[in-house]
Amino acid sequence: MIQKFLDSIKAIILGLLTVFSHLFKRPVTEEYPEKRPLLNGFFRGKHYLESCAGCGYCRKVCPSDAITIIKNERIVEKYIIDLGKCIFCGNCMFYCPSKSMRMSDRFELATNLKSNLKIEIIGRRK
C-alpha cells in the first residue's frame, strides 16, 4: 500500500515537471486566420484548368473517379471535378499531356453543401 502511494506521488511529480518544462518554451500553435501557413511547392490543393484539350487522360488515371468529361464529338461541353470524391493524389496533374491541369495552394474547401464541392468548367475545345 505504501508502494502504491509512493508511485502515485512519483507520477504527480513527473507530471508537474513535464508541465513546468514546457512553461518556458515557445508556443507551437500559429494564429491561423491572421497568419497564413507556408506551404511547400508539392502541396496539392483545389484544381484549376488552363486550356484543357479534353483528351480524358485525367479521367482514366483518377483512382476515385472524381473527374467527369462531357463532350460532343470534338467539343468539350462540361468538365466536372468532384472534390468530395477527390483524394488529391495529383495523378490528373502528373499524367496530363498538355500540362493544363494544375493544383493550387487553396486548401480551405469546407462547405455545408456537397454541391459546392463540384468544379464545373464549361466550353473547352479539343
Side-chain angles (χ1 to χ4, degrees):
M1 178 146 158
I2 294 175
Q3 187 62 34
K4 268 186 159 181
F5 177 74
L6 291 176
D7 288 340
S8 300
I9 296 295
K10 182 181 173 183
I12 290 172
I13 291 172
L14 285 175
L16 287 173
L17 287 174
T18 304
V19 168
F20 286 125
S21 71
H22 288 280
L23 207 86
F24 300 106
K25 291 182 181 178
R26 261 183 55 179
V28 178
T29 0
E30 293 181 10
E31 313 235 349
Y32 164 62
E34 293 83 24
K35 185 180 177 186
R36 304 282 300 169
L38 296 173
L39 304 172
N40 65 14
F42 299 106
F43 184 80
R44 297 181 223 141
K46 188 176 179 179
H47 304 69
Y48 67 92
L49 284 172
E50 302 169 348
S51 65
C52 174
C55 63
Y57 283 140
C58 54
R59 183 181 52 80
K60 291 175 188 170
V61 298
C62 182
S64 59
D65 197 29
I67 299 173
T68 307
I69 300 173
I70 302 169
K71 60 182 177 179
N72 184 2
E73 291 181 20
R74 302 189 82 123
I75 299 171
V76 176
E77 294 176 0
K78 266 189 189 176
Y79 193 95
I80 304 167
I81 302 171
D82 189 355
L83 297 176
K85 290 181 181 178
C86 182
I87 60 172
F88 298 91
C89 63
N91 282 349
C92 54
M93 179 179 69
F94 294 125
Y95 291 107
C96 181
S98 62
K99 301 297 179 200
S100 60
M101 175 69 77
R102 295 277 170 227
M103 297 181 93
S104 67
D105 61 350
R106 185 167 172 219
F107 59 89
E108 298 162 324
L109 303 174
T111 181
N112 292 333
L113 301 172
K114 275 189 170 183
S115 60
N116 291 344
L117 292 174
K118 289 188 179 182
I119 303 171
E120 290 189 17
I121 298 142
I122 301 172
R124 300 285 183 201
R125 293 193 175 263
K126 187 173 180 182

